Amino acid sequence: MTSFHVRAVPGLPEISAGDDLAKLIAAADPGLAEGDILLVTSKIVSKSEGRIIEATDRESAIDAETVRVVARRGTLRIVENKQGLVMAAAGVDASNTRAGTVLLLPEDPDASARTIREGLREALGVNVGVIVTDTFGRPWRSGLTDVAIGAAGVRVLDDLRGGTDAYGNPLSATVVALADELAAAGDLVKGKAEGLPVAVVSGLSQLVGDVAEGARALVRVAADDMFRLGTSEAVREAVTQRRTVREFTEDPVDPGAVRRAVAAAVTAPAPHHTTPWRFVLLESPGARTRLLDAMRDAWIADLRRDGKSEESIAKRVRRGDVLRKAPYLVVPCLVTDGAHTYGDERRDGAEREMFVVAAGAGVQNFLVALAGERLGSAWVSSTMFCPDVVREALDLPAHWDPMGAVAVGRAAAPPRERPARSADSFIEVR
């Protein structure tokens, strides 16, 4: 690659719903040659596709196009929209459209790009690449730039992984967003107010061909997105994403992630400025096996005393094996060193309840923080039924009270949909 040329295409009329963009662009005499790349502003694509709606209230239009709110500050919202793009206001635009209306993004920008490409091939007999562009802000960077939201017939990513740089160093993480770079280059000649919504890039024919993937390939999938959550929404998202996971992969758990979750746990409120939480991290297979075997034996003994059959006992033990299947276990414990003693059964009982509530708050913080680390968890109560067994197996002080156990790992499958719960069902107002 030595050089390329970018130029705007003048002469396009105002676009209306139902207009054939490819024919209008061809009629503007864009001078397209084989292997050129056409950059088309999404606004005129939206207009041609009738994506103009009457909306005196732009906020309601944003609501309708929003799949997930990522961040909010005042009236400004960064959201994931129906096209999978994370951007301000879901791409709903009130500029360059008549008063009382707003423009929505094309429903399928990749399909729009394919339609324009095929139309130009039919009208002009040339094979070109087409990129549909839109304007984005970016985290940690001031200013706006155009990026690709739709593409056809052009390579959108250049994966350099496996190669080497000029010094022979291996490239292990370099994937270049070619389509975004082209979109930004086109924006330099199109401008925002000059009425030049189309540009042409010449000299990069090596990027053009019958490429299967479109601009959707530029959208990072949720599992790989380290910055998926926004500001205050991060807390709400982590809380709602916390799910009980009972099937784990064999992937090891990063001990550092668990320790970060413990750091979040111990910020929970507690009575009398105490720190009533202790988290026993079972990082060695020996410690996990020793604890779980001792608990299983104690459970079986209890079931036999209850008169359960051996078949029934075996089934119960199998169902309760979630802790054994997890690659990492944590036993949260309650320590009531700072509790007050009143010599009154009612007040002493309430005192302990305060500490138990504080322990639960700490465990909830812990589970939510694990979800933020993309780790699944299951809080199981079993250690509370055999505290002496747990203390002996783990060599814990006599005044540490086990508050269940937390299985930790990567979920083997997506969790089931949680039944919808209306907050109003749990609220009483006085």
Side-chain angles (χ1 to χ4, degrees):
M1 185 186 301
T2 54
S3 64
F4 64 93
H5 180 259
V6 187
R7 66 183 187 280
V9 177
L12 280 170
E14 178 65 27
I15 305 300
S16 301
D19 284 347
D20 187 324
L21 269 186
K23 286 184 179 179
L24 291 176
I25 292 169
D29 192 19
L32 287 175
E34 192 79 8
D36 282 351
I37 300 169
L38 193 76
L39 307 170
V40 184
T41 301
S42 64
K43 281 187 177 63
I44 65 169
V45 178
S46 294
K47 288 180 177 180
S48 72
E49 295 179 355
R51 296 282 285 164
I52 304 175
I53 64 170
E54 300 289 337
T56 53
D57 179 9
R58 180 171 176 246
E59 295 304 307
S60 62
I62 296 171
D63 289 340
E65 292 296 299
T66 294
V67 171
R68 177 176 64 93
V69 175
V70 176
R72 184 194 306 267
R73 181 170 296 169
T75 58
L76 175 63
R77 280 182 281 173
I78 307 298
V79 307
E80 179 183 347
N81 66 13
K82 293 178 178 179
Q83 291 80 5
L85 303 169
V86 175
M87 59 192 306
V92 175
D93 198 340
S95 63
N96 292 308
T97 184
R98 63 181 175 79
T101 65
V102 294
L103 277 173
L104 310 181
L105 290 179
E107 285 191 271
D108 185 344
D110 283 332
S112 302
R114 289 193 297 270
T115 298
I116 296 170
R117 181 177 188 242
E118 291 161 7
L120 289 170
R121 182 186 291 161
E122 182 178 335
L124 300 176
V126 291
N127 185 38
V128 298
V130 174
I131 294 176
V132 177
T133 72
D134 198 65
T135 304
F136 268 49
R138 299 150 300 153
W140 309 295
R141 304 286 289 180
S142 294
L144 304 171
T145 186
D146 266 20
V147 302
I149 65 168
V154 61
R155 190 147 47 99
V156 298
L157 291 167
D158 191 10
D159 191 345
L160 302 178
R161 292 173 297 184
T164 57
D165 64 16
Y167 294 92
N169 300 310
L171 299 173
S172 59
T174 305
V175 181
V176 179
L178 293 172
D180 283 348
E181 293 183 330
L182 290 165
D187 193 41
L188 293 173
V189 297
K190 287 190 296 177
K192 300 298 179 191
E194 288 81 358
L196 299 171
V198 176
V200 176
V201 178
S202 301
L204 298 178
S205 60
Q206 70 273 21
L207 303 182
V208 176
D210 292 326
V211 181
E213 66 182 10
R216 184 75 189 192
L218 292 160
V219 178
R220 198 184 300 275
V221 298
D224 297 334
D225 188 353
M226 293 178 66
F227 307 101
R228 183 170 173 79
L229 305 181
T231 48
S232 60
E233 285 70 23
V235 177
R236 287 194 289 274
E237 182 80 3
V239 170
T240 57
Q241 291 304 309
R242 188 220 60 77
R243 303 292 299 277
T244 296
V245 174
R246 299 188 179 278
E247 295 290 340
F248 301 94
T249 68
E250 295 181 356
D251 296 340
V253 171
D254 174 16
V258 178
R259 284 163 171 76
R260 290 191 291 274
V262 171
V266 299
T267 65
H272 314 315
H273 306 288
T274 58
T275 54
W277 321 276
R278 302 294 185 271
F279 289 83
V280 184
L281 311 184
L282 306 189
E283 296 184 341
S284 70
R288 292 197 293 274
T289 300
R290 187 169 63 251
L291 172 65
L292 296 176
D293 285 353
M295 289 174 58
R296 179 198 59 204
D297 294 344
W299 190 18
I300 290 174
D302 283 345
L303 292 171
R304 284 175 177 159
R305 280 193 296 271
D306 291 342
K308 302 297 182 185
S309 68
E310 293 303 314
E311 181 182 0
S312 172
I313 291 171
K315 286 182 180 179
R316 290 168 184 262
V317 170
R318 281 196 301 272
R319 285 200 302 268
D321 240 6
V322 61
L323 296 179
R324 201 173 290 273
K325 294 175 183 177
Y328 197 108
L329 290 184
V330 178
V331 178
C333 293
L334 170 65
V335 176
T336 58
D337 289 347
H340 294 177
T341 300
Y342 300 97
D344 176 284
E345 183 177 342
R346 177 182 59 82
R347 296 171 71 192
D348 287 342
E351 182 78 3
R352 177 169 175 80
E353 285 182 0
M354 285 199 305
F355 278 80
V356 171
V357 169
V363 174
Q364 171 70 354
N365 276 11
F366 180 65
L367 300 177
V368 170
L370 288 174
E373 296 278 354
R374 297 295 190 265
L375 288 169
S377 63
W379 185 14
V380 181
S381 62
S382 52
T383 67
M384 300 175 70
F385 290 87
C386 53
D388 291 336
V389 171
V390 175
R391 283 189 284 261
E392 181 179 353
L394 299 180
D395 192 24
L396 301 180
H399 65 292
W400 285 27
D401 291 334
M403 303 299 288
V406 180
V408 182
R410 301 210 172 273
R416 296 177 183 175
E417 286 294 320
R418 179 185 279 127
R421 294 174 181 170
S422 168
D424 291 341
S425 302
F426 305 91
I427 295 173
E428 293 289 337
V429 178
R430 297 290 188 267

